[in-house]
Amino acid sequence: MDSPERKSISRRKLLKIGALATATIATGLHPILMAGADNGQDIPQNPNQIGFVFNQELCIGCRSCMAACKKTNNWEEGTMWRRVLQFEKDRIHLSISCNHCEEPACVTACPVKAYTKREKDGIVIHDPDKCVGCKYCLYVCPYHAPQFSEHTGRISKCSFCYERLENGEQPACISACPTGALSYGKLIELRTAAAYTEQPKGLPDPKITKPSWVIIPKA
Amino acid sequence: MEIHWHWLIVIYLFLGGLGSGAYLTSFAAEKGWLGKNSSLARAGYYLSGPLVAIGTSLLVLDLGQGFHQPWLLIRLILNVQSVMTWGVYILSAFIIVGVIKGYAVFKHIKIPAALTWAGTVLALATGTYSGLLLSVVDAVPFWNSPVMPFLFVVSGLSTGLSATCLLAPLVEKGSINEGREGQVHLGVVGLELIIATIFFGTMLMGINGPIGVESAKIVLIGRYAIVFWGYFVGLGLIIPLIVYLLQFIKARKESKLHLTQIDFSNTEQAAASENGHHSYLNKFTDVAVLIAGLALRALILFSALPLWDGVSIL
């Protein structure tokens, strides 16, 4: 006698499960790309990860780093691999390029795998010959490191001058810096040093991509 | 504010949602969910594959290397971590199944039910993907909302339903059968209103931080307020809500009247008045829904402020 009732309940259940499953599929995919962003910044996952150091106390805003980078890397028209930003009031500067993040959003987002993160030193290298120019990385990078050239229709960005490193040279920007404001080193060593930050005021939360940089702020 | 994705991508996302919604409309009609002998059981299938294919070719046009080195595009399937790569899989599969289903329906060829169902799943996935592509971007707070995929799916359903209603009289010979599409569309638009309120409301309340608030303000009270309130809310929500609600009330009253009178001779007249869904008012409403769907994608893309502008330091 109770069979029709049971049937209707089970059908309702089925609908519920179906709706839940759809919702789960739709929302469940969402956190996949955002997982694991709550580790501390201090200990790099890769002990060999290198990063730029920028000392705001020492920078005089001469932009030699930009000029040297442009010359060495032959910036494609309309691109700026390194930028020197200035906070007018206090003459505080920030020289910024790619932060070769520990969790680079560009590597995850790029559909054609034009980005690779090297195991041996954590440098994030972009291969313009693989880039299709979809511009997704322009949105996902919080630091505006990838640069699109309308002229060539593709992205390019800072490579940490890895070819120079392999020849025992320093990155061009660091060689050119007259005051020593810009340098680099192994992140694991740099982060034991004095007062530093990964988030200069006004910049994005480092938890998003874990940038491999060390900023020594102006006292 | 730098915008990297322009109208080609707006239209691509719009057509993705439209194709997805059109397939689901015809699927629902085929299953009888839109009333007996619905006239919408074919037109949506015709639209789905081709529209998504057109959208995808617009995307290719937007690629910096779309013409320079098109052979590089094969690499788009490589990064299984990338939501954009998921999109390549989903859209390719949906275009193929959509075209096969459309052709089969046109030629009255029977295809396995599993294929039709696969198309349904892929249609939902296509709609979801178009929102997910944006919602996973942490560096753009306005996009970084779990509500985004739902908003795009339901808006795609609404535009798909409208496009199918517009096409049906052109492809169906003989009389058009009015089913429950008005009622269903009323429900879809009601749901869209709720989801859009949640999306813009939470954004304005600051759930995604101050930059999210700023983006929401551009849409709600700033530069794009007229597009938002006029095109999206007015054309896409208010007009269809009023039109379908009034028709729903009218239809109920009439059916009650006929029931009480038990006047079987009047059924012809009743059928004629129920033909409302294909009237000029409904055609206008369907066009309005399509414009609103396009406006929504444009608003979402053009109001996307980055978490950091790349210039200012404090």
Side-chain angles (χ1 to χ4, degrees):
Chain A
M1 280 303 277
D2 60 350
S3 75
E5 202 184 333
R6 235 154 80 194
K7 208 176 196 175
S8 85
I9 287 171
S10 74
R11 180 183 290 172
R12 186 180 294 167
K13 231 181 197 171
L14 198 75
L15 280 173
K16 258 188 192 168
I17 292 166
L20 263 173
T22 314
T24 319
I25 289 165
T27 47
L29 294 171
H30 194 256
I32 289 176
L33 298 175
M34 309 192 296
D38 49 358
N39 296 352
Q41 262 280 290
D42 291 324
I43 307 144
Q45 294 152 0
N46 179 353
N48 297 316
Q49 172 78 51
I50 59 171
F52 287 113
V53 183
F54 180 69
N55 190 331
Q56 288 187 312
E57 197 80 67
L58 296 177
C59 179
I60 53 170
C62 69
R63 291 175 167 75
S64 299
C65 49
M66 283 175 72
C69 179
K70 183 176 182 177
K71 195 173 162 223
T72 306
N73 295 302
N74 297 313
W75 291 356
E76 289 184 353
E77 203 180 307
T79 68
M80 281 173 108
W81 286 16
R82 181 168 281 282
R83 297 161 287 147
V84 176
L85 310 175
Q86 187 177 337
F87 180 54
E88 294 294 337
K89 217 171 72 190
D90 300 327
R91 294 196 61 77
I92 293 176
H93 297 95
L94 180 67
S95 177
I96 180 171
S97 62
C98 171
N99 292 326
H100 302 275
C101 304
E102 288 189 66
E103 287 169 7
C106 54
V107 175
T108 309
C110 177
V112 296
K113 283 197 172 174
Y115 291 90
T116 40
K117 185 166 178 64
R118 298 211 296 194
E119 193 55 41
K120 80 176 201 193
D121 48 18
I123 296 178
V124 176
I125 298 174
H126 176 265
D127 182 353
D129 291 334
K130 291 176 182 166
C131 176
V132 291
C134 74
K135 301 179 274 276
Y136 199 23
C137 55
L138 296 182
Y139 283 111
V140 303
C141 174
Y143 301 98
H144 304 268
Q147 300 278 310
F148 184 73
S149 169
E150 293 288 348
H151 187 67
T152 56
R154 62 186 191 178
I155 299 283
S156 56
K157 75 159 193 76
C158 162
S159 62
F160 220 111
C161 286
Y162 70 91
E163 291 115 328
R164 286 172 61 99
L165 288 183
E166 276 154 19
N167 291 333
E169 292 175 279
Q170 290 195 314
C173 52
I174 292 172
S175 299
C177 181
T179 64
L182 206 56
S183 57
Y184 81 102
K186 274 193 180 177
L187 215 54
I188 205 160
E189 288 156 15
L190 296 171
R191 285 190 178 153
T192 57
Y196 73 89
T197 178
E198 290 106 16
Q199 189 181 15
K201 277 184 190 159
L203 264 75
D205 190 334
K207 276 183 186 150
I208 299 174
T209 59
K210 298 194 178 175
S212 305
W213 70 346
V214 164
I215 308 291
I216 300 162
K218 208 164 191 164
Chain B
M1 181 165 82
E2 256 191 285
I3 296 165
H4 310 298
W5 285 345
H6 301 271
W7 279 102
L8 289 175
I9 304 296
V10 170
I11 301 170
Y12 158 70
L13 295 176
F14 168 68
L15 290 179
L18 185 53
S20 140
Y23 189 100
L24 294 171
T25 298
S26 279
F27 179 77
E30 195 183 347
K31 289 278 162 207
W33 300 338
L34 299 180
K36 274 179 200 158
N37 299 321
S38 170
S39 306
L40 304 180
R42 286 141 48 101
Y45 289 136
Y46 297 162
L47 286 172
S48 61
L51 283 186
V52 178
I54 291 169
T56 308
S57 22
L58 295 181
L59 170 81
V60 172
L61 282 181
D62 190 68
L63 295 177
Q65 301 300 327
F67 288 120
H68 295 289
Q69 305 179 79
W71 55 89
L72 286 180
L73 264 62
I74 191 67
R75 295 186 55 91
L76 282 166
I77 59 170
L78 284 183
N79 190 0
V80 291
Q81 283 188 82
S82 169
V83 176
M84 201 179 272
T85 295
W86 303 354
V88 173
Y89 296 145
I90 293 168
L91 265 63
S92 315
F94 183 54
I95 290 168
I96 294 167
V97 175
V99 166
I100 291 174
K101 179 70 190 179
Y103 181 79
V105 166
F106 182 66
K107 289 280 183 190
H108 302 285
I109 303 165
K110 243 185 121 52
I111 59 163
L115 196 62
T116 304
W117 274 97
T120 306
V121 173
L122 287 167
L124 273 173
T126 298
T128 309
Y129 154 73
S130 65
L132 196 68
L133 179 74
L134 306 181
S135 74
V136 295
V137 180
D138 292 291
V140 179
F142 191 48
W143 292 352
N144 192 214
S145 162
V147 185
M148 185 78 89
F150 294 98
L151 182 61
F152 274 33
V153 166
V154 75
S155 159
L157 262 177
S158 179
T159 55
L161 194 45
S162 279
T164 308
C165 286
L166 284 171
L167 183 68
L170 304 177
V171 296
E172 300 299 339
K173 287 157 210 125
S175 68
I176 284 297
N177 210 350
E178 167 68 14
R180 293 178 54 211
E181 51 264 38
Q183 269 177 61
V184 170
H185 210 156
L186 182 62
V188 169
V189 176
L191 190 63
E192 187 177 359
L193 177 66
I194 294 167
I195 294 175
T197 308
I198 295 171
F199 177 80
F200 289 104
T202 52
M203 200 58 72
L204 197 64
M205 276 158 50
I207 206 161
N208 279 14
I211 304 293
V213 176
E214 228 178 290
S215 282
K217 279 185 176 167
I218 291 176
V219 174
L220 297 175
I221 53 173
R223 198 182 327 156
Y224 294 128
I226 292 174
V227 181
F228 178 77
W229 294 105
Y231 288 67
F232 175 61
V233 177
L235 294 180
L237 299 175
I238 305 293
I239 287 180
L241 274 180
I242 293 174
V243 169
Y244 299 139
L245 192 62
L246 290 180
Q247 285 175 354
F248 177 62
I249 293 168
K250 197 175 154 211
R252 270 190 80 163
K253 261 187 192 162
E254 273 167 13
S255 67
K256 259 188 192 160
L257 206 69
H258 291 306
L259 271 178
T260 48
Q261 288 180 343
I262 323 177
D263 186 355
F264 292 107
S265 64
N266 257 353
T267 45
E268 206 175 309
Q269 206 184 327
S273 72
E274 275 171 13
N275 245 340
H277 204 76
H278 298 280
S279 70
Y280 282 110
L281 178 63
N282 283 88
K283 285 203 187 348
F284 166 77
T285 310
D286 287 330
V287 172
V289 165
L290 291 179
I291 294 170
L294 189 65
L296 175 67
R297 272 71 178 183
L299 287 168
I300 299 284
L301 279 195
F302 298 160
S303 307
L305 295 172
L307 196 54
W308 174 53
D309 64 7
V311 182
S312 318
I313 53 170
L314 293 175

